[in-house]
Amino acid sequence: MRNHLTHPIFSLISEVADEMQRPCFVIGGFVRDIILHRPSKDIDVVTLGSGIELAEALCRRLGSHAHLAVFRNFGTAQVKYHDGKEWIEVEFVGARRESYSHNSRKPIVEDGTLQDDQNRRDFTINALALCLNGERFGELVDPFDGIGDIERELIRTPLDPDITFSDDPLRMMRAIRFATQLNFRIYPDTFDAIKRNSERIKIISRERIADELGKIIRADIPSRGFILLEESGLLPYICPELAALKGVETKDGHGHKDNFYHTLTVLDNVALRSRNEWLRWAALFHDIAKPRTKRYDVRLGWTFHNHNFIGAKMIPGIFRFMKLPLDERMKYVQKLVELHMRPIVLAEEVVTDSAVRRLLFDAGDDIDDLMCLCEADITSRNAEKVRRYLENFALVRRKLTEIEEKDRIRNFQPPVDGSEIMEYFALPPSREVGELKSAIKNAILDGIIPNERDAAWQYMLKAAEQMGIKKP
Ligand code: ATP
Ligand code: MG
């Protein structure tokens, strides 16, 4: 494995460690990612004894090109080093043994051997170590056949999975996250232990869970993670609203589609087309209000009236609970959830210019993302239906481009603003001013006047006359 340790930093660490007569290993994710040919930035080094001392010695050797940060409470130190091209980060820690109490994922830590340190790792593929010392430079230490598990594409705990997961329940999320990112399976024994311990996830902070969910949703096929979260029993603790989407009810022999699996298909469809994480969250939540709005009607069958509006209203509560950001990213998700039915309705009818203008006005710069979501939302198994919808969407898209070029509605700025109206008629801020402004906006959106200053001014004067507003 020495050919993977060609970066000069490794021979430097090796020299320093040999001089101090310290056994020293690269360990964990960095080694795993070398073997998987994945890019990996953070290098973890474990040594017997104090990791801080080793880091300090390395830093002295590197001189002015390096920065040292020491975290005494954790017994770790980080060396940042610029090799002329980029910054490299190496984290140093002493090998340790961990023991856990029942109600915390914070272990009691003692000094230990390399084997102790590998035992405390979450998965066999994350317990690989490469020796950095003298003769043994590049030698692989793999006590749990992590290499075999990489070949078999398996996520498996090194020790009894019930203990591993009960000690630190975050590892259940990590198992599912790695399975999703790497496209690996979870070893059946390991997965059964997640099912048995799922309730333990309650002791994990929502921030950490959100961090893992972010990694799942950014993966190439994010549905894999959500299916595993559902099958393991973790999903109701993480996002009960999402868990509630699962299942099919039947009345008079009519079933509706399973909204959980439909949602995941939409999510994967979006993921194929876009790396935008927040568009993916919007896909995940686009039908979130379906369980709440579900009704059965003898004439209409299953309906989910207003599920888009109610869904948008549910988003802040869900984001707060899940510790997702409450800023403009949430507003974006809300907007897409609220608008996700609009292009479909448009595509079902004759596509009028004014409907297209209103859609452009409401979606603004997010119109392309909204169209992407709507196209992803066509998951019917009826090929003819899919073809018809996609054709209509193509027409909506053509119209969107056409009208945007002509009328520039996307970032609509009224061509006549309120202060001009107030000045001209010597009016204070008032209902009349608001009404004149919205009359102009509606006339433009309805195509009565073009989005231009002169036309808008003339139209405003006429509207004012009709409302009985006079220039003093
Ligand atoms: P990534 O960097 O993609 O998140 P990683 O495996 O490198 O994946 P890190 O959080 O960087 O994850 O952790 C580095 C190593 O520390 C892991 O490979 C693993 O050996 C160990 N580790 C991290 N978190 C845990 C945990 N909760 N339980 C046990 N070992 C862990
Ligand atoms: Mg890492």
Side-chain angles (χ1 to χ4, degrees), residues 156-181:
R156 187 165 62 90
T157 57
L159 306 176
D160 180 342
D162 279 301
I163 295 172
T164 300
F165 292 133
S166 173
D167 278 354
D168 176 2
L170 182 66
R171 294 168 179 162
M172 301 190 283
M173 292 295 299
R174 284 175 54 91
I176 291 173
R177 184 259 287 194
F178 284 120
T180 311
Q181 282 182 322

Side-chain angles (χ1 to χ4, degrees), residues 27 55 127 171 181 183 199 249 322 331 336 339 341 343 367 381 392 447:
I27 194 161
R171 294 168 179 162
Q181 282 182 322
N183 214 346
E199 204 203 350
E249 212 179 316
M322 293 177 73
K331 292 230 171 70
L336 290 192
L339 294 178
M341 302 295 286
I367 185 71
R381 268 190 288 255
N392 278 344

Side-chain angles (χ1 to χ4, degrees), residues 27-33 38-42 44 98 100 105 117-123 125-128 164 168-172 174 177-178 181 208 211-212 215:
I27 194 161
F30 188 80
V31 183
R32 175 200 70 218
D33 288 340
R38 291 173 92 221
S40 175
K41 320 128 262 123
D42 38 333
D44 290 306
E98 294 184 339
Y100 287 81
R105 63 179 289 266
D117 201 278
Q118 287 175 302
N119 286 343
R120 75 177 177 87
R121 305 267 157 181
D122 47 4
F123 306 112
I125 63 168
N126 285 346
L128 301 165
T164 300
D168 176 2
L170 182 66
R171 294 168 179 162
M172 301 190 283
R174 284 175 54 91
R177 184 259 287 194
F178 284 120
Q181 282 182 322
R208 282 190 189 279
D211 191 41
E212 296 298 329
K215 291 178 180 175

Side-chain angles (χ1 to χ4, degrees), residues 328-424:
E328 71 286 352
R329 289 169 286 186
M330 179 187 85
K331 292 230 171 70
Y332 164 90
V333 171
Q334 268 191 297
K335 179 168 160 186
L336 290 192
V337 172
E338 176 169 333
L339 294 178
H340 85 268
M341 302 295 286
R342 289 272 293 279
I344 299 181
V345 174
L346 249 181
E348 277 169 347
E349 298 163 356
V350 186
V351 185
T352 66
D353 286 8
S354 84
V356 171
R357 265 190 225 99
R358 289 202 175 267
L359 180 60
L360 262 173
F361 177 76
D362 289 337
D365 275 339
D366 301 319
I367 185 71
D368 293 326
D369 292 350
L370 179 64
M371 291 306 291
C372 176
L373 172 61
C374 291
E375 281 162 359
D377 199 9
I378 312 293
T379 63
S380 164
R381 268 190 288 255
N382 177 342
E384 173 53 27
K385 210 164 148 185
V386 173
R387 197 191 54 80
R388 212 175 53 235
Y389 269 111
L390 291 181
E391 223 165 63
N392 278 344
F393 276 137
L395 176 65
V396 173
R397 274 186 188 270
R398 274 200 301 281
K399 283 242 172 195
L400 281 167
T401 321
E402 215 178 278
I403 286 178
E404 177 56 23
E405 269 170 19
K406 207 161 49 136
D407 300 338
R408 302 171 323 277
I409 302 290
R410 227 176 143 119
N411 288 306
F412 185 83
Q413 295 295 335
V416 169
D417 71 25
S419 59
E420 291 174 283
I421 299 173
M422 290 191 289
E423 199 179 317
Y424 185 78

Side-chain angles (χ1 to χ4, degrees), residues 223-234:
S223 67
R224 297 172 50 86
F226 290 97
I227 287 171
L228 290 170
L229 287 172
E230 198 282 318
E231 287 173 357
S232 63
L234 285 167

